[in-house]
Amino acid sequence: MPELPEVETTAVGIAPLLVNQRIKKIVVRNKQLRWPVTDQIESIVKDLIIKTVKRRAKYIVVDLDHGSFLIHLGMSGSLRLISESDILKKHDHVQMYLSNDYVLTYHDPRRFGCWLWSNDDHKLLDSLGPEPLSKSFDGSYLWGLSKGRKLSVKAFIMDSKIVVGVGNIYANEALFSSGIRPNRHAGRISLKRYELLAKNIKSILTAAIKQGGTTLRDFTNGRGEPGYFEQSLNVYGRAGEKCLNCASILREIRLGQRSSVFCMSCQQ
DNA sequence: CTTTCAGCCTGACGGC
DNA sequence: TGCCGTCAGGCTGAAA
């Protein structure tokens, strides 16, 4: 599933072919996504100009000269740039035809994503916490907000009001690297350990983004479909297997409806 | 206020 | 071979 690094790579990858283009038309083939695609979007955005393309959390924000799109890839979404004569695939739900003759095509089998237009601020961005790679996100920030919180530290760092973009894979991995057991109460972890955790979240995400830059998918030949990065995973998806550090058998529990894998011996 | 959890959806996978 | 049940997962909004 698209995690923050995939969304970042997508935004960076498509931006050069979108910015300053005019929208010739939009075709919505299935508007039933996580939320219905904005009504009348076809007529609203015709002939508008794309100003910028950027990422916020796991959203892609496409600013127009009137309003903006908020795109989310959900669990199974992807964007690719194709030509008008290319053959569509099953689950290609939205297409944006550009004046440079490319067609930005949104593909999403599970339809957990969204494609919303607004001429104002998008409400979904209202209560988001800081970007994990920003300066304002660090150990003391996490520690400060964790006071009195009884939920698990894993659920805590996956809460987008606390910090955005830390999905299940990276939460599991960052907690392993930090030697923190995922079910520990958020409010009972020391500043020192939060500093290590914040540092590891940053380094894991940075490495994945960098890998995305080098793997550099080609968004213009129809291969926008990921192709998620080869991830070196220590715990995620490895329940029942040996810890790569100490050879103990990795355990799996569920926290906040998500599978959480950890090493009883390396994570306390 | 905090915390939990249903629900959205399809494809992959295991059992028979 | 195919059918069926189960699971995965980000995120919001309602319930507890």
Side-chain angles (χ1 to χ4, degrees), chain A residues 219-236:
Chain A
F219 285 91
T220 63
N221 74 354
R223 290 201 311 118
E225 184 128 15
Y228 302 112
F229 316 138
E230 293 288 322
Q231 213 80 59
S232 56
L233 300 175
N234 286 299
V235 287
Y236 180 82

Side-chain angles (χ1 to χ4, degrees), chain A residues 130-131 134-138 141 202:
Chain A
E131 289 288 328
S134 68
K135 279 197 171 150
S136 60
F137 175 73
D138 61 15
Y141 166 83
K202 284 173 192 279

Side-chain angles (χ1 to χ4, degrees), chain A residues 13-230:
Chain A
I14 63 174
L17 287 152
L18 264 61
V19 171
N20 294 328
Q21 297 304 309
R22 179 177 52 84
I23 298 172
K24 288 199 290 192
K25 64 172 177 177
I26 284 217
V27 175
V28 179
R29 300 193 154 76
N30 186 346
K31 58 162 56 183
Q32 298 307 311
L33 305 183
R34 174 71 166 85
W35 293 280
V37 176
T38 306
D39 243 13
Q40 309 293 318
I41 196 174
E42 296 92 339
S43 49
I44 293 171
V45 304
K46 183 170 157 35
D47 290 331
L48 295 182
I49 306 291
I50 297 172
K51 309 308 281 186
T52 62
V53 178
K54 56 201 175 196
R55 178 190 63 75
R56 169 72 172 116
K58 290 181 189 166
Y59 293 96
I60 294 170
V61 183
V62 179
D63 269 316
L64 310 172
D65 52 355
H66 178 55
S68 64
F69 287 117
L70 190 66
I71 300 168
H72 198 288
L73 303 178
M75 297 292 306
S76 55
S78 61
L79 289 166
R80 68 189 196 281
L81 283 154
I82 62 178
S83 60
E84 299 187 7
S85 57
D86 281 346
I87 297 166
L88 290 185
K89 300 185 199 175
K90 196 179 178 184
H91 307 303
D92 283 345
H93 304 309
V94 183
Q95 287 194 292
M96 186 160 75
Y97 289 70
L98 304 170
S99 49
N100 60 7
D101 292 337
Y102 279 108
V103 186
L104 182 69
T105 303
Y106 177 79
H107 178 86
D108 186 4
R110 290 185 200 178
R111 291 188 275 127
F112 270 30
C114 67
W115 192 299
L116 300 170
W117 178 87
S118 170
N119 60 356
D120 202 344
D121 293 335
H122 288 275
K123 289 194 172 67
L124 290 171
L125 301 179
D126 271 357
S127 50
L128 293 179
E131 289 288 328
L133 299 178
S134 68
K135 279 197 171 150
S136 60
F137 175 73
D138 61 15
S140 58
Y141 166 83
L142 280 179
W143 183 70
L145 287 181
S146 74
K147 287 178 183 167
R149 301 289 303 263
K150 284 188 178 163
L151 82 172
S152 67
V153 61
K154 177 155 176 284
F156 179 66
I157 59 170
M158 290 181 71
D159 181 348
S160 63
K161 291 189 286 300
I162 303 300
V163 58
V164 302
V166 182
N168 198 33
I169 296 174
Y170 292 114
N172 277 298
E173 295 298 318
L175 288 164
F176 174 78
S177 310
S178 308
I180 299 171
R181 210 171 278 187
N183 60 352
R184 193 117 292 177
H185 289 181
R188 316 215 44 186
I189 290 175
S190 69
L191 172 59
K192 267 271 178 290
R193 303 186 85 198
Y194 270 125
E195 282 171 347
L196 180 61
L197 180 56
K199 188 173 84 90
N200 283 327
I201 289 172
K202 284 173 192 279
S203 62
I204 290 172
L205 288 173
T206 303
I209 289 172
K210 193 173 174 186
Q211 199 186 342
T214 50
T215 309
L216 200 59
R217 286 173 284 156
D218 185 345
F219 285 91
T220 63
N221 74 354
R223 290 201 311 118
E225 184 128 15
Y228 302 112
F229 316 138
E230 293 288 322

